[in-house]
Amino acid sequence: MYYDVEQEIKKEIEVEVDGEERKFTLVGRADIIDRRNKIIYEVKTGSPKFIPQDHHILQVSFYATILGYKPVLIYITRDTLTEYEVYPDDVKGAVRKLPFGINVDGEPFTEEWLTSYVQRWINYNRPLWNWECEYCPVKRFCWLYKWLKEKERV
């Protein structure tokens, strides 16, 4: 079979944290993997205000880098289906918007880029986007979540 659906993908990498090399295992679940054409598809549903969204670009780019495949986003809404091929400039643009983005080394879809991105993310030590806090199991104990919620009310 040439296609895998809902396939877990993993990659072990080493990054420096607090001056010490540490191993991390990146794990994701790819929506569709086309092994014949070496394409990874990430499918999104709903009605985003704009497409593609930066966090979707980064998600499919991680998967593509791990597998060495071409990344494609598919957006499905009530009345349309849009396919969006992700290019290195798209990834660079998405990363530049992150708090640590200007410091990520290497070209997108390379081992150097993936390692540098993960290292900056770990050392950033907080969610990249505020909406991520809504999915956190310990949010009610977190100072950052409380601060963000208070800020929303102002």
Side-chain angles (χ1 to χ4, degrees), residues 15-52:
V15 297
E16 186 178 314
V17 179
D18 297 328
E20 185 180 318
E21 286 290 317
R22 297 189 45 201
K23 285 186 181 182
F24 290 88
T25 302
L26 303 177
V27 181
R29 185 164 301 280
D31 289 332
I32 303 168
I33 300 172
D34 177 349
R35 297 209 181 273
R36 176 184 275 172
N37 297 305
K38 294 191 171 194
I39 301 172
I40 185 157
Y41 295 94
E42 184 60 27
V43 180
K44 300 297 181 187
T45 59
S47 298
K49 294 177 183 159
F50 58 90
I51 57 174

Side-chain angles (χ1 to χ4, degrees), residues 79-91:
D79 39 36
T80 94
L81 185 143
T82 305
E83 189 173 308
Y84 185 87
E85 191 172 327
V86 177
Y87 294 97
D89 283 344
D90 300 319
V91 178

Side-chain angles (χ1 to χ4, degrees), residues 101-113:
I102 57 171
N103 298 317
V104 175
D105 301 322
E107 284 297 307
F109 314 124
T110 64
E111 184 87 19
E112 179 188 15
W113 173 81

Side-chain angles (χ1 to χ4, degrees), residues 1 34 42 44 62 69 73 85 103 109 124 146 148:
M1 186 149 153
D34 177 349
E42 184 60 27
K44 300 297 181 187
F62 266 33
Y69 285 14
L73 288 166
E85 191 172 327
N103 298 317
F109 314 124
Y124 184 61
K146 290 175 185 173
L148 290 170

Side-chain angles (χ1 to χ4, degrees), residues 7-149:
Q7 182 72 42
E8 184 175 272
I9 54 175
K10 292 182 181 182
K11 177 156 185 81
E12 205 170 271
I13 63 169
E14 286 190 22
V15 297
E16 186 178 314
V17 179
D18 297 328
E20 185 180 318
E21 286 290 317
R22 297 189 45 201
K23 285 186 181 182
F24 290 88
T25 302
L26 303 177
V27 181
R29 185 164 301 280
D31 289 332
I32 303 168
I33 300 172
D34 177 349
R35 297 209 181 273
R36 176 184 275 172
N37 297 305
K38 294 191 171 194
I39 301 172
I40 185 157
Y41 295 94
E42 184 60 27
V43 180
K44 300 297 181 187
T45 59
S47 298
K49 294 177 183 159
F50 58 90
I51 57 174
Q53 294 189 1
D54 292 336
H55 57 284
H56 297 160
I57 289 172
L58 295 173
Q59 179 185 11
V60 74
S61 297
F62 266 33
Y63 299 164
T65 303
I66 289 169
L67 293 175
Y69 285 14
K70 182 170 76 171
V72 175
L73 288 166
I74 296 175
Y75 287 94
I76 301 171
T77 65
R78 275 186 297 150
D79 39 36
T80 94
L81 185 143
T82 305
E83 189 173 308
Y84 185 87
E85 191 172 327
V86 177
Y87 294 97
D89 283 344
D90 300 319
V91 178
K92 289 176 185 177
V95 168
R96 260 190 235 98
K97 294 174 189 173
L98 297 174
F100 57 80
I102 57 171
N103 298 317
V104 175
D105 301 322
E107 284 297 307
F109 314 124
T110 64
E111 184 87 19
E112 179 188 15
W113 173 81
L114 186 65
T115 302
S116 177
Y117 182 96
V118 171
Q119 181 176 12
R120 298 313 187 276
W121 188 5
I122 289 167
N123 287 321
Y124 184 61
N125 202 23
R126 67 178 60 168
L128 300 180
W129 294 277
N130 294 346
W131 56 261
E132 288 179 294
C133 291
E134 292 299 328
Y135 297 96
C136 180
V138 295
K139 67 185 177 188
R140 63 186 183 155
F141 305 110
C142 177
W143 68 268
L144 179 61
Y145 178 75
K146 290 175 185 173
W147 180 78
L148 290 170
K149 281 298 179 190

